[in-house]
Amino acid sequence: MHQRHPLPTGPARHTVARGSATLAALAALTLATAGLITSAPAAHAAPVPAAAPAHGTGFAPDTTDQVQYAQDDVYAAGDLGYLHRRANADGSPGPYTWHAYDGTEQTLASYGGALPGQYGYYGNGSDTLLTSPQYSGGQAQLRNTATGATVDVTVPDGQYVAAAFGSTVITQEYNDVWQIARLHLLHVTDTGEITSDIPVDPPSDQFFPKDQAVLAGDGTSALVRFRHATAIGLLDLSTGALTSISTHATDDDPVYLQAALSPTHIAVYHEGASQARVVRRDDPTGAQTAVNVPQSTTGTAFIGLTGEWLLTTYRPPAGTTPGPGGPLLATPLSGGTPLTLLPSAGPQIAQIPAGGAIAVGEAADGTWTAHVITTAPNGRPTAQPL
């Protein structure tokens, strides 16, 4: 289960140092659909690696005893690259590093997100990174990974940062007893100016939880928790429209909900359940598909999506010594036997907004490296090392 951290009495109010460079290339983000930003310059917009033939979809032998393991945590993925933190040779934590799909890298001094199962996780999915602390007031700092430039956004008084997806900053407004009264969508320009502030109220039969309101997102939508785990919300980042999606959760604690957002589907899973629920993104209140989630006695299942497949890795209990984990599996949404994409993998799956995902695990030669998970032309999933 989640390693749950207590919520502070109230959000800390910090001021983030202003970056020296303006975000002149925030236009490089892939959020043109919001009407705020143009596409990235071609020099930076390296495409997500194409899917390989289907023969790369699995491994027969288990070579865990030969794996060259190094702890490598994946925090976020965008259409241009992914954010990870690989341990140094001596095992100490390495720097936050943005690895572009063209092979170039940027080192970050800080990052405002967290890993699945940790307090503050929000499933970031874009090429903009929130580098200021979550739940801070005063200012939010965004980093454009296409250029490495940063921009500061002055957050309205009484609002606290919850997440950032491209040109949209999601904030939380608290009431007198530090409950989330509503969310806000702040639309920002490439210089950090707020062009609109859209308040988002919960449905009349729900309210937002006190912690970890944002589950996942990309440049156009976000998935948010409610206080009751019976539903999650699909939030349109342009208009603020909020659509409730039933979860069929096995209990009422929303902190154990997971969700994944792909260009075509939404998956929601309550940890410990035998099935995830999947619905088409263009019909979120329509018919749901129940997909079996393979279970493990050594870890909690963590889900993702690629094409018509549900991805599963396994997160070990809190306090477990890092090491090669369970396999990365892919289960067809239509039902059937799961495929093993990697014989051993880390516990994180980061969704790529344009489709596919990033996961770290054992390559065929025993190296421990990031893989891009996509679907081949025949529709089968494949894991290719980056």
Side-chain angles (χ1 to χ4, degrees):
M1 292 297 183
H2 280 277
Q3 181 181 0
R4 300 177 67 178
H5 299 263
L7 186 72
T9 303
R13 193 169 184 85
H14 302 288
T15 300
V16 180
R18 180 171 300 275
S20 59
T22 61
L23 200 54
L26 190 60
L29 303 177
T30 58
L31 301 178
T33 55
L36 296 174
I37 308 174
T38 58
S39 59
H44 295 289
V48 175
H55 67 262
T57 59
F59 290 82
D62 181 359
T63 58
T64 302
D65 59 335
Q66 303 172 12
V67 65
Q68 302 164 33
Y69 174 78
Q71 185 174 358
D72 195 352
D73 295 321
V74 178
Y75 287 78
D79 291 329
L80 302 180
Y82 67 96
L83 178 68
H84 71 125
R85 196 178 194 189
R86 190 176 180 92
N88 297 316
D90 62 0
S92 61
Y96 293 106
T97 303
W98 178 264
H99 182 99
Y101 300 127
D102 63 9
T104 59
E105 292 191 334
Q106 301 172 34
T107 299
L108 281 68
S110 64
Y111 174 61
L115 293 172
Q118 294 180 333
Y119 179 74
Y121 174 71
Y122 62 92
N124 183 20
S126 76
D127 294 294
T128 300
L129 299 176
L130 175 66
T131 56
S132 57
Q134 265 195 307
Y135 307 112
S136 64
Q139 286 188 317
Q141 187 179 77
L142 305 179
R143 182 183 180 97
N144 173 6
T145 57
T147 64
T150 60
V151 64
D152 285 344
V153 180
T154 300
V155 178
D157 188 47
Q159 297 181 29
Y160 298 85
V161 178
F165 299 102
S167 63
T168 302
V169 177
I170 302 178
T171 63
Q172 300 175 168
E173 176 188 342
Y174 291 82
N175 59 23
D176 293 339
V177 292
W178 293 114
Q179 295 172 334
I180 300 175
R182 61 182 54 85
L183 302 177
H184 289 259
L185 302 180
L186 307 182
H187 296 143
V188 304
T189 67
D190 57 1
T191 59
E193 177 187 0
I194 297 174
T195 59
S196 64
D197 178 347
I198 301 175
V200 179
D201 292 311
S204 58
D205 60 341
Q206 286 274 14
F207 56 97
F208 295 116
K210 190 174 182 180
D211 56 354
Q212 303 196 79
V214 183
L215 276 162
D218 58 18
T220 58
S221 301
L223 296 173
V224 298
R225 285 185 176 94
F226 299 128
R227 169 59 188 88
H228 299 293
T230 52
I232 62 171
L234 176 64
L235 177 59
D236 186 310
L237 296 183
S238 177
T239 66
L242 187 62
T243 302
S244 292
I245 301 172
S246 177
T247 65
H248 297 269
T250 55
D251 67 49
D252 199 39
D253 192 340
V255 77
Y256 298 118
L257 286 174
Q258 302 174 16
L261 189 67
S262 80
T264 54
H265 293 88
I266 297 167
V268 59
Y269 175 62
H270 197 277
E271 293 182 8
S274 61
Q275 294 180 324
R277 296 283 173 157
V278 180
V279 65
R280 288 200 58 85
R281 185 167 173 170
D282 58 7
D283 186 17
T285 60
Q288 295 188 355
T289 300
V291 183
N292 289 334
V293 176
Q295 301 296 304
S296 170
T297 59
T298 59
T300 302
F302 185 80
I303 65 165
L305 288 165
T306 186
E308 298 289 328
W309 299 77
L310 183 77
L311 303 175
T312 309
T313 55
Y314 298 93
R315 186 175 65 245
T320 302
T321 301
L328 171 65
L329 303 177
T331 303
L333 299 184
S334 58
T337 303
L339 299 178
T340 300
L341 302 186
L342 298 174
S344 183
Q348 301 95 27
I349 300 173
Q351 296 294 140
I352 299 171
I358 300 292
V360 173
E362 179 185 355
D365 61 359
T367 56
W368 192 258
T369 189
H371 292 71
V372 60
I373 316 301
T374 55
T375 50
N378 65 1
R380 289 170 63 87
T382 178
Q384 295 298 315
L386 289 171

